[in-house]
Amino acid sequence: MSRRRHSDDSDAGQPHKRRRTSEPSEIEERLESLICRVGEKSNSSLESNLEGLAGVLEADLPNYKSKILRILCTVARLLPEKLTVYTTLVGLLNARNYNFGGEFVEAMIRQLKECLKVNMYNEAVHLVRFLSDLVNCHVIAAPSMVAMFENFVSVTQEEDVPQVRCDWYMFAFLSSLPWVGKELYEKKDAEMDRLLSQTENYLKRRQKIHVPMLQVWTADKPHPQEEYLDCLWSQIQKLKKDRWQERHILRPYLAFDSILCEALQHNLPPFTPPPHTEDSVYPMPRVIFRMFDYTDDPEGPVMPGSHSVERFVIEENLHCIIKSHWKERKTCAAQLLSYPGNNKIPLNYHIVEVIFAELFQLPSPPHIEVMYTTLLIELCKLQPGSLPQVLAQATEMLYMRLDTMNTTCVDRFINWFSHHLSNFQFRWSWEDWSDCLTQDLEKPKPKFVREVLEKCMRLSYHQRIIDIVPASFSVLSPANPVCVYKYGDESNRSLPGYTVALCLTIAIKNKASNDEIFGILKDVPNPNQDDDDDEGFTFNPLKIEVFVQTLLHLAAKSFSHSFSALAKFHEVFKTLAESDEGKLHVLRVVYEVWKNHPQMIAVLVDKMIRTQIVDCAAVANWIFSSELAHDFTRFYIWEILHSTIRKMNKHVLKIHKELEETKARLARQHKRRDSDDDDDDDDRSSDREDGPLEEQIERLQEKVESAQSEQKNLFLVIFQRFIMLLTEHLVRCETGGIDVFTPWYKSCIERLQQIFLQHHQIIQQYMVTLENLLFTAELDHHILAVFQQFCALQA
Amino acid sequence: LRWPAGGSAAMCSGGTLSILRSDSYADLSQYRDQHFRGTRYDQERLLRKSCTLYVGNLSFYTTEEQIHELFGKSGDIKKVIMGLDKVKKTACGFCFVEYYARGDAENAMRYINGTRLDDRIIRTDWDAGFKEGRQYGRGRSGGQVRDEYRQDYDAGRGGYGKTVQCQ
């Protein structure tokens, strides 16, 4: 019997819906919609819209007060880009209804405390800023706001707390000043001066070991990569010097000054910052990304300087818009382009800078990388006459500064640029970049172009890439992604295993079974052993070579063909690769066959991990093996390694989740039993019921522990290999008297940083082991510095 | 396991806002597969939890490798199944992409749908799940239905539509 939804019926069952016009949830939806839409493009002025809305809400207060409170608190938290619109609205409501204003302030404080308790610090900042702007709307008395900020700043006096905790409270205070600095200073200048001097002292003494790890470029020219608190402090200092005159922020409340200054203000209750707990996780420090200044757009409006508070506000608001609308690319693009102040600021430049700031953010971008590519395309569609040029200018600038760009950021630049080009027929003025042709191929610029062309090829095909670049660029063009089969030519007749390869080829073409394959392989001699083990399949590199080469060659036509081959002969693979050496050798052979087609290598390694032909540790060891040294700095290698680590992490999470779910099932079973038979004393039947679940939990517990141990081992192997490789290089340079900072070294040390940054949550668990076992004081200070910078991130 | 600060939009006391919940690119489209075995309700239930996308308007020459590269940008791909002409058994301009996680498929709908592959704007839509036989075109000549009747010339999809070719 099919279940049909009501919507499938043509109008039957609908009449009752038409009668319902004032359902509570519909009212709430309408209120929410009214409130959210105020400030959007409209035929009336913002002021009249606000006034109208205030009137509507005031009338609704008797019946819908709590709903209105909830909605306003939510927009304060989630729509910070419209901060001043909503503070004005609250100001108008407070002027009409003093009690409501008081209740709103209380609700905000409650919400702030909750946010801090659950580590929602980014949203908490928006709440603090909202409260501070309420001072401008005569809702909150300035002295009580100053008092709250005094409590914030005094957090810096706390002992034995992470620096990131103090940082947050400092940031919450400083970042509110563009909005409310003037008002607070006018009312309480002595207190404010004291706060600012305490701020200065804190900023001077706080440590900044973490900064190099988060910088996109290692050079300070043309724009220094400032630590975020340092930059903000410079901006506030300049604001103070300008006597707190701030002209960028839209302040609708100014138009209502006569109404608002008649309103009675509320005092903020004394706010004690919740204490630091073990579960507290504070935001990581950031570095401010800058790539443009006023010289970059000589024709248009002047770009606010890097230490102007306008720059801070614009960037904050643009980041907030992206955060609000990241799922809706067209809306996001439209909202960014309709940011107010369009003709006074070079908006396109700000937008491009903010987007690249997010794309290149370390450790990770706030959103998935591909979103930024598509968002930029949408922006180009909406502003075809201006944005593509800014983007081209930005690309050129990024290319020029590749020499000092962090390797992880270069990866993202490569991915973005190649994907972007694939949407525009790969049109680019490659000749402009011919300077890179005369450089050593390992240098950042030629390396970048090579990797971009390889990625472009993956999105199209080999000949296309040859066609789009000038002939002079052929040295940077990717190899034709063909398979290299060592037993292919008759001239290779003399290779050991050649005849077996022929046999295998015929057998596989004739749909041989795994057993038949084993039979053919039995006769392959083992070049390693003198005393051949007839029974077992101990590590026999030649067997692996012949089988894997032949099979991959036969299945070379497409990914699907190769995956089918892996699946069909899974048993043979598992047996041949049983030992660690076997796994390593399988990977080696895959590389030998497909070294011209890195994409194929990546998907095969992925499949082999998922089907447990190789394990993650084997892949890690293979990446650091001498056979791969030649490709060690190539992008695809690191894509494979990070993909491997991610699979490991997901695996642990999955089993952990299974364990938690089973525990929950057991708990529910207990609860049901307890509530069902209170007087039933039948313990034995209860135990019997629990049995299978408890067994399952035990098994899963073991599985979790074993997976976590494998995960830890993977990271230890990776760190160990890095240390070995880097130490070798450092020693060689020292004894040879040559400079340590070769392109290889820069790449390698930044790859080590990348491991820490990309998987920092997991690695935090291993700090003690890492400190005691690997990153000890005896280590070369170059390598130790990376570890220390990492430790400083959450210190 | 500890999570970094930052927070999600849906919070304890406040909840979220419907304008911020909007996710039109990841919503179901109007299309329902007429050959689906089961009720509309069943199909929609499957579509809402599916990790598989239908991809259309591909060039006949677009390879599995290209599709893997592009769609891999939103997450790990479990499988790509190329759409084939029922008679010729060659690519006929569509495929299925299956992800391990629905979230990755959603991101493909948000950021890869409506962008270019092989210079063509491709279209993605939720699919209820691959079943044997669904990899074949349903047009009378063996390709996709849309290539039977179209009047335009499309070099990447065999030139003119089939009925035009037969004139």
Side-chain angles (χ1 to χ4, degrees), chain B residues 142-157:
Chain B
Q144 289 197 282
V145 171
R146 52 184 299 216
D147 292 310
E148 285 294 312
Y149 306 108
R150 62 177 173 78
Q151 305 284 315
D152 61 317
Y153 182 83
D154 188 341
R157 289 182 74 99

Side-chain angles (χ1 to χ4, degrees), chain A residues 206-436:
Chain A
R206 71 190 273 272
Q207 59 86 352
K208 291 188 287 200
I209 307 174
H210 53 274
V211 173
M213 206 176 211
L214 302 176
Q215 287 175 317
V216 172
W217 290 286
T218 54
D220 266 348
K221 294 204 161 28
H223 309 111
Q225 301 287 286
E226 287 183 278
E227 212 265 354
Y228 79 115
L229 278 183
D230 287 343
C231 185
L232 181 53
W233 176 236
S234 299
Q235 289 162 331
I236 298 302
Q237 281 183 299
K238 182 166 186 297
L239 177 63
K240 179 174 180 213
K241 238 197 256 164
D242 291 342
R243 287 173 324 139
W244 305 99
Q245 300 297 338
E246 187 291 318
R247 291 181 214 291
H248 174 79
I249 298 174
L250 233 56
R251 298 176 193 258
Y253 39 82
L254 293 176
F256 295 104
D257 197 48
S258 51
I259 300 173
L260 293 178
C261 68
E262 297 292 311
L264 289 172
Q265 295 167 320
H266 304 267
N267 282 318
L268 277 176
F271 184 90
T272 321
H276 173 70
T277 70
E278 263 202 3
D279 295 324
S280 305
V281 182
Y282 304 97
M284 274 213 284
R286 286 173 286 125
V287 163
I288 301 298
F289 176 86
R290 290 279 162 67
M291 63 182 293
F292 292 128
D293 61 35
Y294 70 96
T295 61
D296 293 308
D297 182 22
E299 321 268 312
V302 176
M303 189 171 222
S306 58
H307 285 166
S308 72
V309 93
E310 282 75 27
R311 194 73 177 261
F312 173 77
V313 172
I314 294 166
E315 287 168 357
E316 277 289 299
N317 284 333
L318 293 178
H319 281 299
C320 287
I321 290 173
I322 296 175
K323 181 154 187 237
S324 292
H325 302 287
W326 62 274
K327 293 196 296 290
E328 295 280 2
R329 66 205 211 207
K330 283 195 166 65
T331 306
C332 194
Q335 290 285 338
L336 286 170
L337 288 171
S338 53
Y339 181 73
N342 195 353
N343 44 6
K344 295 204 205 81
I345 54 173
L347 184 58
N348 284 343
Y349 284 85
H350 283 293
I351 291 173
V352 167
E353 190 177 69
V354 161
I355 289 176
F356 278 124
E358 293 203 5
L359 180 63
F360 294 135
Q361 185 176 297
L362 294 169
S364 316
H367 302 286
I368 188 173
E369 276 177 57
V370 67
M371 185 277 270
Y372 299 104
T373 311
T374 308
L375 179 60
L376 283 168
I377 293 174
E378 289 298 326
L379 288 163
C380 285
K381 277 195 219 162
L382 289 176
Q383 296 266 294
S386 53
L387 208 116
Q389 290 87 314
V390 177
L391 205 48
Q393 194 181 348
T395 306
E396 186 62 40
M397 291 169 78
L398 293 170
Y399 170 80
M400 296 295 284
R401 301 182 58 190
L402 276 170
D403 286 335
T404 54
M405 193 185 221
N406 182 296
T407 302
T408 306
C409 300
V410 177
D411 288 351
R412 298 191 201 152
F413 184 21
I414 292 166
N415 276 335
W416 167 72
F417 189 51
S418 54
H419 187 190
H420 180 85
L421 285 181
S422 75
N423 274 272
F424 296 96
Q425 298 118 40
F426 299 107
R427 272 180 280 125
W428 183 250
S429 47
W430 300 99
E431 318 72 35
D432 289 352
W433 288 354
S434 358
D435 62 316
C436 74

